[in-house]
Amino acid sequence: MDRLQLLESWLHNIYPDRPFSLSPASADASFRRYFRVTLDQQTLIAMDAPPPLEDCTPFVHAAEIFSRAAVHVPQVLAQDIERGFLLLSDLGNTTFLQALTINPAIANELYLAAIDALINIQKASQANLFPEYNRTLLTQELSLFPDWYLAKHLQFCLNDDQKAGLTRVFALLLDNNLAQPRVFVHRDFHSRNLMVSTPNPGIIDFQDAVFGPITYDLVSLLKDAYIQWDEAQVLDWAIRYWERARQAELPVSSDFSSFYQDFEWMGVQRHLKVLGIFARLYYRDQKSAYLQDMPAVMHHLRQTCKRYRALHPLLVLLDQCQNHAPAAGYTF
């Protein structure tokens, strides 16, 4: 049987006397697929995570931990880890991105709710519950930029001086990132993974959660690859997060300018990683939609590099490789 038939058979075993229908709910950058299960007047979500490409265990583990943090995550109603199936409560079908595209005027309401949820997650933080976001993992993510974005996407070959300069910038970024206080990190806390729901927001796609730098998820939220806000608005929300984090006695710097630099430098690490991931999704996984999001990520990256003298070598490299950008509309 194919995966869909296996999923239907599994659901029939759970609900032997209740008819149901399946419809596609969403797909993401992994090999996971999601289906909405309509059962009488109720809807549920079925996750298909085909082994050995995906593992449901981290999702179940993170769902339990995040639910104890008083945030709105899907409830795991049934599971078959061996075959890669989960049955989840349904948090609705409207992401923040969809809602904001229709009505940008609700941005402040949604983002303040997301900030409150993020602080609740961080307040619940404990070591040894999630993998460490350590130097090895952060370095592996940075390597996606030269390997997939520069070499594969731009066909740009670094010379020895450029390699050395990039290595020095990476070391500066890592030193900053690893010096930050550590909390639970969702790792993709952005407009496509936050659902408009009651209570707001519903939070999904947290299976890659780690224990790492406190600014990481705020970067994901405010310097999103899929929706952009002007710098004044980002600064305003960052200040609101910082004030609420201090009230919650989270370990943020007492000096906002120091906190904001940590936020921005964490952003450079994430932007470099995301450019590499988007290129890999296209060339390895044949998912072309992410190419259209590269310019927004590059905009965030260049903006920050311009502001900090220590990051200017990276800005020079971005200028040097600009002429190698593909001709199909994805120039920066």
Side-chain angles (χ1 to χ4, degrees):
M1 286 191 287
D2 66 20
R3 293 291 302 175
L4 184 56
Q5 290 174 315
L6 282 172
L7 177 60
E8 289 177 334
S9 176
W10 180 63
L11 292 170
H12 277 299
N13 288 335
I14 298 172
Y15 301 109
D17 302 318
R18 298 175 66 185
F20 62 83
S21 62
L22 285 181
S23 59
S26 69
D28 61 24
S30 71
F31 295 98
R32 290 181 296 272
R33 296 185 300 171
Y34 299 87
F35 297 91
R36 183 160 276 106
V37 183
T38 302
L39 192 74
D40 301 328
Q41 301 303 310
Q42 180 185 20
T43 61
L44 305 171
I45 297 294
M47 178 197 293
D48 170 26
L53 299 172
E54 297 291 340
D55 180 8
C56 292
T57 306
F59 183 97
V60 175
H61 175 65
E64 180 182 354
I65 292 172
F66 282 5
S67 67
R68 296 201 300 261
V71 294
H72 191 196
V73 296
Q75 181 183 356
V76 179
L77 305 172
Q79 57 185 284
D80 185 336
I81 299 296
E82 184 177 342
R83 290 197 291 178
F85 298 136
L86 295 179
L87 186 63
L88 310 170
S89 58
D90 189 355
L91 302 191
N93 56 12
T94 304
T95 66
F96 273 27
L97 179 61
Q98 291 166 330
L100 290 164
T101 301
I102 295 168
N103 183 12
I106 62 173
N108 202 54
E109 173 191 346
L110 295 187
Y111 274 75
L112 292 181
I115 285 169
D116 285 341
L118 177 56
I119 287 172
N120 282 342
I121 290 171
Q122 293 177 338
K123 282 166 56 180
S125 299
Q126 299 178 49
N128 305 316
L129 292 180
F130 289 126
E132 291 278 344
Y133 214 172
N134 56 23
R135 184 176 292 271
T136 299
L137 182 52
L138 288 162
T139 302
Q140 287 172 350
E141 291 181 342
L142 284 171
S143 71
L144 295 169
F145 176 73
D147 294 349
W148 284 95
Y149 181 76
L150 293 182
K152 187 70 175 178
H153 184 59
L154 299 188
Q155 299 289 301
F156 185 82
C157 183
L158 294 169
N159 61 37
D160 289 343
D161 287 343
Q162 290 166 333
K163 288 179 183 177
L166 194 58
T167 298
R168 286 192 293 272
V169 170
F170 282 3
L172 291 173
L173 292 172
L174 291 170
D175 287 346
N176 171 276
N177 302 161
L178 292 166
Q180 295 185 29
R182 292 180 301 165
V183 293
F184 289 163
V185 176
H186 176 294
R187 220 164 158 197
D188 274 310
F189 194 79
H190 57 63
S191 62
R192 286 186 173 177
N193 290 332
L194 300 173
M195 310 299 295
V196 177
S197 65
T198 304
N200 214 16
I203 302 170
I204 61 173
D205 205 25
F206 41 70
Q207 62 280 335
D208 295 323
V210 290
F211 190 64
I214 194 168
T215 63
Y216 190 93
D217 280 340
L218 190 66
V219 168
S220 302
L221 179 67
L222 302 186
K223 296 196 174 188
D224 194 337
Y226 309 112
I227 189 167
Q228 287 186 276
W229 306 99
D230 63 43
E231 286 195 283
Q233 181 64 83
V234 170
L235 183 62
D236 178 76
W237 283 328
I239 291 171
R240 290 171 185 267
Y241 163 85
W242 175 74
E243 290 174 340
R244 295 180 187 198
R246 293 190 70 199
Q247 291 170 1
E249 299 184 341
L250 287 168
V252 293
S253 172
S254 60
D255 175 61
F256 178 75
S257 62
S258 175
F259 167 79
Y260 197 72
Q261 179 172 331
D262 285 347
F263 165 80
E264 294 226 283
W265 283 46
M266 188 76 253
V268 173
Q269 189 277 346
R270 178 169 168 80
H271 305 327
L272 291 168
K273 175 187 79 167
V274 169
L275 287 169
I277 288 175
F278 284 177
R280 186 175 67 184
L281 284 166
Y282 177 57
Y283 293 100
R284 189 191 69 182
D285 303 332
Q286 290 77 56
K287 296 184 177 183
S288 61
Y290 294 92
L291 291 180
Q292 68 186 9
D293 301 312
M294 282 182 171
V297 181
M298 181 60 73
H299 172 74
H300 290 314
L301 177 60
R302 294 182 68 94
Q303 255 189 338
T304 304
C305 289
K306 287 176 183 176
R307 268 196 285 272
Y308 299 95
R309 182 173 298 277
L311 300 180
H312 283 185
L314 178 55
L315 187 63
V316 171
L317 175 61
L318 296 176
D319 288 338
Q320 291 169 340
C321 69
Q322 184 173 12
N323 292 334
H324 288 255
Y330 301 109
T331 56
F332 313 111

